[in-house]
Amino acid sequence: MGNYMDNTYLAIDGVIVSYSGSDDVLTVPSRLIQMDIVRIGDGSFMDSRMSKVIISDGIKEIGKNAFSKCCNLKEVVIPASVTTVCSNAFTNDLPKLDSIFIDRYPLQAQQYLTLKRSAIRINSNKYLTTNYAGLSLINNVMNSTSARPAQFIPGNISRLFSTRDMTAVDPEAECFNISFGLSGGDGKTVEFSSVLADKADHSDPDTEAKHDELLKKDAIPGNMMTAILIFDESNLLVDAGHYYVNAEIRIGYHFWQSFLPIIHAGKQYYLYRRNYLRGDDKYKYSRVDVAILDDSGSVVKNKDEALDVYGKYKILSIL
Amino acid sequence: MTEVALMAFINRILRNGSEEKARLSLLQLLEILRLQGADPEHIQLVRDASLSVKEARPAANRQIFVKQDLIAAIRASEKRRREEEMSSRGRC
């Protein structure tokens, strides 16, 4: 691929290594003369003065600290070609950053966007938006959309929002302290996690019997509830910053680990979730580990098969 | 990449932006050179330069910047780091 140098850009083998321009609205090119740009290198735009940056379609990765300390940066446009945003790419001293637009068109099959640790941090009351069909503005994506460690937003996401302000989902469910919700590909299935909820709702005795069989018997401190809520997005009400919706609760558990039955391509699977709470011996912060189990309770080793099953149910946690 | 081109890159990186940015850019360059299977001497030079940004930047801002200038800055940086390490050790 070769080297490229002009007054503004240094690039090697498709990676922008350094930018030294002074544009206010900057379009990061996906081609420099005869070199296709695939990666924005680590730190390459650090300290730059632009107020808006548009990343051209074709670029696939945004490196670590790529846009740190861009003190005037307010607005960012990330194209659908970007599949990875690395740690702290849009973090660290970005006091004016208030809008990041993630373009997910055109959608490709299995098109994932990986956000690495603390990839994006925007200030309170600001917006992370995407143009996926039907998606509306998202309020209060606070602190970070980062996941610990790398997690994925599937390409077929229909809604991405913080439920931090949600005070009531269903009065009978008593879900509270909900951290985050992610819509599945059908636009109607949303999975929530709440922390330290007290009430369990085991509505399916056959499923519960299976879960008892699969569960470990050792007592683990701290319980979490996981509920699958089915609702129509058109019924979602917003009132004074709070979200309200009546939802059918499909499954709820109060165990430290949970099993969600999933039927996929005619086969029975389980989405296994293991919740680690803050102060857990192994981890310093809360996280959720997931695995796909087959009908016998064994982990599905075929990665493609597991991703097919799991693709719609990924969860990002803001904790 | 030829040595001349490499020095031109290093020069530009050192002259551009803050010390932190220069260090990150040099580390990025280092990673690319490793992936390319570049000359080990070039790789070592960039690695050393990434550790010596503080000393190398003034040299890079002069009208002429050649490999000997970078090497001199690297040696000065090594000396500084040795002295800092010595002074931070306790005395018996």
Short mmCIF file of all heavy atoms in Angstrom, two decimals, chain B residues 45 48-49 51-53 55-56 67-83:
data_model
loop_
_atom_site.label_atom_id
_atom_site.label_comp_id
_atom_site.label_asym_id
_atom_site.label_seq_id
_atom_site.Cartn_x
_atom_site.Cartn_y
_atom_site.Cartn_z
N LEU B 45 14.58 1.91 15.94
CA LEU B 45 14.71 3.37 15.90
C LEU B 45 13.39 4.03 16.29
O LEU B 45 13.35 4.97 17.09
CB LEU B 45 15.12 3.82 14.49
CG LEU B 45 15.48 5.30 14.33
CD1 LEU B 45 16.73 5.65 15.12
CD2 LEU B 45 15.70 5.64 12.85
N ASP B 48 12.66 3.46 20.02
CA ASP B 48 13.47 4.36 20.85
C ASP B 48 12.97 5.80 20.75
O ASP B 48 12.96 6.55 21.74
CB ASP B 48 14.95 4.29 20.44
CG ASP B 48 15.59 2.97 20.82
OD1 ASP B 48 15.04 2.28 21.71
OD2 ASP B 48 16.64 2.63 20.22
N ALA B 49 12.57 6.18 19.56
CA ALA B 49 12.06 7.53 19.37
C ALA B 49 10.79 7.75 20.20
O ALA B 49 10.59 8.82 20.77
CB ALA B 49 11.77 7.79 17.89
N LEU B 51 10.12 6.57 23.00
CA LEU B 51 10.50 6.75 24.41
C LEU B 51 11.26 8.06 24.64
O LEU B 51 11.52 8.42 25.78
CB LEU B 51 11.39 5.58 24.86
CG LEU B 51 10.75 4.19 24.83
CD1 LEU B 51 11.80 3.10 25.05
CD2 LEU B 51 9.65 4.09 25.88
N SER B 52 11.58 8.74 23.56
CA SER B 52 12.47 9.90 23.66
C SER B 52 11.84 11.16 23.07
O SER B 52 12.55 12.07 22.63
CB SER B 52 13.78 9.61 22.91
OG SER B 52 14.27 8.34 23.24
N VAL B 53 10.52 11.20 23.09
CA VAL B 53 9.82 12.30 22.43
C VAL B 53 10.23 13.65 23.01
O VAL B 53 10.46 14.62 22.29
CB VAL B 53 8.29 12.09 22.53
CG1 VAL B 53 7.53 13.33 22.08
CG2 VAL B 53 7.87 10.88 21.73
N GLU B 55 12.98 14.72 24.29
CA GLU B 55 14.28 15.21 23.83
C GLU B 55 14.32 15.37 22.32
O GLU B 55 15.05 16.22 21.79
CB GLU B 55 15.40 14.23 24.26
CG GLU B 55 15.77 14.31 25.72
CD GLU B 55 14.79 13.57 26.62
OE1 GLU B 55 13.89 12.87 26.10
OE2 GLU B 55 14.91 13.69 27.86
N ALA B 56 13.52 14.57 21.63
CA ALA B 56 13.62 14.57 20.17
C ALA B 56 12.88 15.73 19.52
O ALA B 56 13.24 16.17 18.43
CB ALA B 56 13.09 13.24 19.62
N LYS B 67 19.32 11.44 11.04
CA LYS B 67 19.29 10.29 11.94
C LYS B 67 20.20 10.50 13.15
O LYS B 67 19.85 10.12 14.27
CB LYS B 67 19.73 9.04 11.17
CG LYS B 67 19.59 7.74 11.96
CD LYS B 67 19.99 6.57 11.10
CE LYS B 67 20.01 5.28 11.93
NZ LYS B 67 20.47 4.15 11.10
N GLN B 68 21.36 11.13 12.92
CA GLN B 68 22.28 11.35 14.03
C GLN B 68 21.65 12.24 15.10
O GLN B 68 21.91 12.08 16.29
CB GLN B 68 23.59 11.99 13.52
CG GLN B 68 24.52 11.03 12.80
CD GLN B 68 24.00 10.58 11.45
OE1 GLN B 68 23.21 11.29 10.81
NE2 GLN B 68 24.41 9.42 11.01
N ASP B 69 20.83 13.19 14.67
CA ASP B 69 20.15 14.06 15.63
C ASP B 69 19.18 13.25 16.48
O ASP B 69 19.08 13.44 17.70
CB ASP B 69 19.35 15.16 14.90
CG ASP B 69 20.26 16.07 14.09
OD1 ASP B 69 21.38 16.38 14.56
OD2 ASP B 69 19.86 16.45 12.97
N LEU B 70 18.48 12.33 15.83
CA LEU B 70 17.52 11.49 16.56
C LEU B 70 18.24 10.57 17.53
O LEU B 70 17.84 10.42 18.68
CB LEU B 70 16.67 10.68 15.57
CG LEU B 70 15.63 9.75 16.20
CD1 LEU B 70 14.63 10.52 17.04
CD2 LEU B 70 14.88 8.97 15.11
N ILE B 71 19.34 10.02 17.08
CA ILE B 71 20.11 9.12 17.94
C ILE B 71 20.65 9.88 19.14
O ILE B 71 20.64 9.38 20.28
CB ILE B 71 21.24 8.43 17.15
CG1 ILE B 71 20.63 7.45 16.15
CG2 ILE B 71 22.22 7.71 18.08
CD1 ILE B 71 21.60 6.84 15.18
N ALA B 72 21.11 11.09 18.91
CA ALA B 72 21.61 11.92 20.02
C ALA B 72 20.48 12.18 21.02
O ALA B 72 20.69 12.12 22.24
CB ALA B 72 22.17 13.23 19.48
N ALA B 73 19.29 12.45 20.50
CA ALA B 73 18.14 12.69 21.39
C ALA B 73 17.79 11.43 22.16
O ALA B 73 17.45 11.48 23.35
CB ALA B 73 16.94 13.17 20.57
N ILE B 74 17.88 10.29 21.51
CA ILE B 74 17.58 9.01 22.17
C ILE B 74 18.58 8.77 23.30
O ILE B 74 18.18 8.37 24.42
CB ILE B 74 17.60 7.86 21.15
CG1 ILE B 74 16.39 7.96 20.21
CG2 ILE B 74 17.62 6.50 21.85
CD1 ILE B 74 16.46 7.07 19.00
N ARG B 75 19.83 9.05 23.05
CA ARG B 75 20.85 8.86 24.10
C ARG B 75 20.61 9.81 25.25
O ARG B 75 20.75 9.43 26.42
CB ARG B 75 22.24 9.07 23.52
CG ARG B 75 22.65 7.93 22.61
CD ARG B 75 24.12 7.96 22.27
NE ARG B 75 24.42 6.85 21.37
CZ ARG B 75 25.10 6.93 20.25
NH1 ARG B 75 25.61 8.09 19.87
NH2 ARG B 75 25.32 5.87 19.49
N ALA B 76 20.26 11.04 24.93
CA ALA B 76 19.97 12.02 25.99
C ALA B 76 18.78 11.56 26.82
O ALA B 76 18.76 11.70 28.05
CB ALA B 76 19.69 13.39 25.38
N SER B 77 17.81 10.99 26.15
CA SER B 77 16.63 10.51 26.86
C SER B 77 16.97 9.32 27.75
O SER B 77 16.51 9.23 28.89
CB SER B 77 15.56 10.10 25.84
OG SER B 77 14.45 9.53 26.49
N GLU B 78 17.80 8.41 27.26
CA GLU B 78 18.23 7.26 28.07
C GLU B 78 18.96 7.75 29.30
O GLU B 78 18.77 7.23 30.40
CB GLU B 78 19.14 6.35 27.24
CG GLU B 78 18.39 5.50 26.22
CD GLU B 78 19.30 4.82 25.21
OE1 GLU B 78 20.52 5.08 25.22
OE2 GLU B 78 18.78 4.04 24.40
N LYS B 79 19.81 8.75 29.11
CA LYS B 79 20.59 9.29 30.25
C LYS B 79 19.63 9.89 31.27
O LYS B 79 19.76 9.67 32.47
CB LYS B 79 21.57 10.34 29.73
CG LYS B 79 22.51 10.89 30.80
CD LYS B 79 23.42 11.96 30.25
CE LYS B 79 24.20 12.59 31.40
NZ LYS B 79 24.82 13.86 31.01
N ARG B 80 18.67 10.65 30.77
CA ARG B 80 17.69 11.27 31.68
C ARG B 80 16.94 10.21 32.47
O ARG B 80 16.77 10.32 33.69
CB ARG B 80 16.71 12.13 30.89
CG ARG B 80 15.56 12.65 31.76
CD ARG B 80 14.57 13.49 30.96
NE ARG B 80 13.98 12.82 29.83
CZ ARG B 80 12.97 11.96 29.89
NH1 ARG B 80 12.41 11.65 31.04
NH2 ARG B 80 12.48 11.41 28.78
N ARG B 81 16.51 9.18 31.80
CA ARG B 81 15.71 8.16 32.48
C ARG B 81 16.56 7.40 33.48
O ARG B 81 16.07 7.03 34.56
CB ARG B 81 15.10 7.20 31.44
CG ARG B 81 13.88 7.81 30.79
CD ARG B 81 13.18 6.87 29.81
NE ARG B 81 13.71 7.06 28.46
CZ ARG B 81 14.18 6.08 27.69
NH1 ARG B 81 14.22 4.85 28.13
NH2 ARG B 81 14.62 6.33 26.49
N ARG B 82 17.85 7.19 33.16
CA ARG B 82 18.74 6.52 34.14
C ARG B 82 18.89 7.39 35.37
O ARG B 82 18.81 6.91 36.50
CB ARG B 82 20.13 6.28 33.52
CG ARG B 82 20.28 4.96 32.77
CD ARG B 82 21.75 4.61 32.60
NE ARG B 82 22.53 5.68 32.00
CZ ARG B 82 22.68 5.85 30.67
NH1 ARG B 82 22.09 5.03 29.83
NH2 ARG B 82 23.40 6.85 30.21
N GLU B 83 19.09 8.69 35.15
CA GLU B 83 19.26 9.62 36.28
C GLU B 83 18.00 9.68 37.12
O GLU B 83 18.07 9.72 38.35
CB GLU B 83 19.64 11.01 35.77
CG GLU B 83 21.08 11.10 35.29
CD GLU B 83 21.37 12.40 34.55
OE1 GLU B 83 20.43 13.21 34.36
OE2 GLU B 83 22.54 12.59 34.14
#
